[in-house]
């Protein structure tokens, strides 16, 4: 399986207040996200993390990556310092990627786009950064944990309209 997620903000002291995540402490937040990740992603699965992985001043990226299932790729976000991007637990690290799953072209970036490559040919833009707060656009999906019940999602999850706890980030053009 191939999964997508973003904006986990592990070890980030700001995440509970800014994003109003329902955890009593940063430690509870991090353990809950680790548990949800590992309950969803199997060791042999592939996972694309679309940025803002962790606040590296408070933790060790390699140690955390070892605790998380899957072969992990990082699309760099605005809160990913060198200690995160240089961690050895990533299968790849880049700012942008285009991949295909079952013939479907996906444009991956931390930031949501207004337009993207092959948009007119029904390609999809998967992004993070907006924490479930953007109005949905057709074929654009916020894969951040705030928009996805704090767990990674498959392309099937995204296109089936499973938006998680917020209304942001879907994008099937049908509203709701």
């Amino acid at each position: 399986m191939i999964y997508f997620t973003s904006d986990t903000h592990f070890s980030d002291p700001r995440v509970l207040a800014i994003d109003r995540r329902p955890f009593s402490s940063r430690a509870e937040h991090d353990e809950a996200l680790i548990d949800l990740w590992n309950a969803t992603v199997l060791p042999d699965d592939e996972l694309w993390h679309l940025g803002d992985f962790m606040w590296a001043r408070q933790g060790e990226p390699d140690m955390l990556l070892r605790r998380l299932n899957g072969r992990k790729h990082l699309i760099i976000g605005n809160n990913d310092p060198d200690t995160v991007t240089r961690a050895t637990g990533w299968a790849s690290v880049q700012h942008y990627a285009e991949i295909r799953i079952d013939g479907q072209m996906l444009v991956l970036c931390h930031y949501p786009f207004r337009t993207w490559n092959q948009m007119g040919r029904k390609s999809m833009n998967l992004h993070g950064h907006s924490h479930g707060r953007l109005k949905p656009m057709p074929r654009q999906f916020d894969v951040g944990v705030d928009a996805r019940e704090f767990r990674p999602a498959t392309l099937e999850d995204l296109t089936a309209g499973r938006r998680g706890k917020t209304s942001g980030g879907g994008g099937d053009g049908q509203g709701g």
Side-chain angles (χ1 to χ4, degrees):
M1 294 294 293
I2 301 172
Y3 291 91
F4 304 92
T5 195
S6 179
D7 299 289
T8 47
H9 289 277
F10 289 111
S11 302
D12 190 334
R14 308 163 302 163
V15 74
L16 298 180
I18 293 171
D19 297 317
R20 294 186 224 139
R21 293 185 180 173
F23 304 99
S24 62
S25 69
R26 190 173 64 222
E28 179 188 343
H29 167 270
D30 290 359
E31 288 305 314
L33 266 61
I34 291 166
D35 289 347
L36 288 165
W37 177 312
N38 288 336
T40 304
V41 178
L42 298 175
D44 291 333
D45 290 337
E46 191 166 351
L47 182 125
W48 288 84
H49 193 292
L50 304 190
D52 290 0
F53 176 68
M54 84 176 292
W55 182 267
R57 293 181 212 166
Q58 299 290 328
E60 294 293 325
D62 281 313
M63 189 178 344
L64 177 57
L65 286 164
R66 281 192 295 274
R67 291 187 63 194
L68 297 167
N69 286 343
R71 182 172 183 251
K72 297 165 282 294
H73 303 270
L74 177 65
I75 300 294
I76 300 169
N78 58 303
N79 289 304
D80 289 318
D82 288 345
T83 51
V84 168
T85 62
R86 288 186 304 213
T88 60
W90 299 113
S92 70
V93 176
Q94 59 254 321
H95 286 276
Y96 173 96
E98 294 179 0
I99 65 171
R100 288 191 180 272
I101 298 178
D102 298 329
Q104 175 65 58
M105 182 174 167
L106 304 175
V107 175
L108 311 178
C109 188
H110 179 63
Y111 307 100
F113 293 134
R114 194 77 175 149
T115 63
W116 55 89
N117 190 24
Q118 296 192 25
M119 183 178 185
R121 294 186 177 175
K122 305 214 183 281
S123 66
M124 295 178 185
N125 171 222
L126 307 187
H127 68 87
H129 190 64
S130 60
H131 295 262
R133 295 184 186 123
L134 286 184
K135 181 180 178 186
M137 283 181 58
R139 295 185 314 280
Q140 184 176 60
F141 301 92
D142 183 345
V143 301
V145 296
D146 297 293
R148 304 283 163 204
E149 297 177 340
F150 303 105
R151 68 175 59 233
T154 64
L155 182 59
E156 182 181 353
D157 293 335
L158 299 170
T159 58
R162 292 185 222 156
R163 293 196 188 134
K165 73 179 190 80
T166 68
S167 61
D172 61 7
Q174 304 298 310

